């Protein structure tokens, strides 16, 4: 993949999830891989959360979830390409909608951009409905907002934290 820079940097929020394999190592590996990408700087890593699976087949293992805040010179489409490449590096297989996965990397917001492009909808179309995205995001950035939806903390307060547990004993680290 050839990376092309755009003016910036732009702040982006990425949500990470894993419910197969060594879930913590999968998330940390994704953080490290994204940080190793020219044009991406990982600035903040949220605490890790353990969450119940939402949607998809029943009896899925629990997810580990986190959010990272990055500054990037990559346009959103290239950031998505990189996120997909990182998923593939961790053997992400897309066989079942909302099925179990080794790694999921979603772009939640990209600056204040709003787009309904079917390849990359920004902000993420369901982020405002998902406590497993909002809880770690609010920890990472208490003033966070989703364009067109409002403050992440207010959205989380409406949803509640049922099925979403912060795990301070399972640390993710900012890349060196």
């Amino acid at each position: 993949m050839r990376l092309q820079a755009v003016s910036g940097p732009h702040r982006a929020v990425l949500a990470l999830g894993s419910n197969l394999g060594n879930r913590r190592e999968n998330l940390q590996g994704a953080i490290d891989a994204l940080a190793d990408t020219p044009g991406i700087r990982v600035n903040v890593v949220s605490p890790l959360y353990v969450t119940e699976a939402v949607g998809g087949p029943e009896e899925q293992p629990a997810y580990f979830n986190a959010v990272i805040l990055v500054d990037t010179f990559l346009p959103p489409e290239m950031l998505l390409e990189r996120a997909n490449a990182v998923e593939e590096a961790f053997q992400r297989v897309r066989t079942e909608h909302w099925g179990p996965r080794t790694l999921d990397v979603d772009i939640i917001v990209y600056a204040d951009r709003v787009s309904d492009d079917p390849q990359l909808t920004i902000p993420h179309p369901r982020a405002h409905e998902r406590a497993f995205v909002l809880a770690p995001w609010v920890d990472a950035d208490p003033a966070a907002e989703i364009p067109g939806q409002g403050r992440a903390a207010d959205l989380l307060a409406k949803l509640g934290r049922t099925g979403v547990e912060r795990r301070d004993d399972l640390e993710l680290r900012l890349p060196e």
Side-chain angles (χ1 to χ4, degrees):
M1 164 177 55
R2 181 162 151 55
L3 301 178
Q4 296 176 344
V6 295
S7 65
H10 299 284
R11 170 60 55 98
V13 177
L14 305 177
L16 311 174
S18 174
N19 75 336
L20 294 176
N22 187 323
R23 300 166 292 173
R24 194 197 67 73
E25 283 185 16
N26 292 345
L27 296 186
Q28 187 63 60
I31 293 165
D32 295 342
L34 289 162
D36 285 344
T37 303
I40 297 175
R41 180 165 189 251
V42 178
N43 295 314
V44 178
V45 177
S46 77
L48 188 144
Y49 279 77
V50 177
T51 65
E52 298 170 358
V54 174
E58 303 215 7
E59 306 299 322
Q60 284 192 64
Y63 275 85
F64 280 15
N65 291 101
V67 165
I68 60 173
L69 309 181
V70 304
D71 284 330
T72 184
F73 287 92
L74 301 180
E77 300 78 15
M78 294 188 98
L79 183 59
L80 177 62
E81 285 179 26
R82 181 61 181 144
N84 290 338
V86 170
E87 289 177 348
E88 289 174 22
F90 283 83
Q91 290 79 48
R92 164 78 188 263
V93 179
R94 296 175 189 271
T95 58
E96 193 168 13
H97 190 58
W98 292 335
R101 60 202 72 165
T102 54
L103 185 62
D104 189 32
V105 180
D106 287 332
I107 300 172
I108 304 304
V109 297
Y110 183 98
D112 57 359
R113 190 168 296 190
V114 175
S115 168
D116 60 0
D117 183 314
Q119 296 299 321
L120 177 58
T121 303
I122 305 172
H124 189 285
R126 291 172 299 283
H128 66 284
E129 303 169 343
R130 300 210 165 139
F132 65 84
V133 170
L134 296 171
W137 188 11
V138 168
D139 284 346
D141 180 5
E145 290 195 29
I146 300 177
Q149 297 293 336
R151 291 191 41 201
D154 296 339
L155 296 166
L156 179 60
K158 288 179 190 173
L159 289 175
R161 292 176 177 254
T162 302
V164 179
E165 176 189 359
R166 181 172 160 162
R167 292 288 304 271
D168 290 325
D169 60 318
L170 299 172
E171 184 177 55
L172 297 170
R173 62 175 170 66
L174 198 59
E176 296 178 13

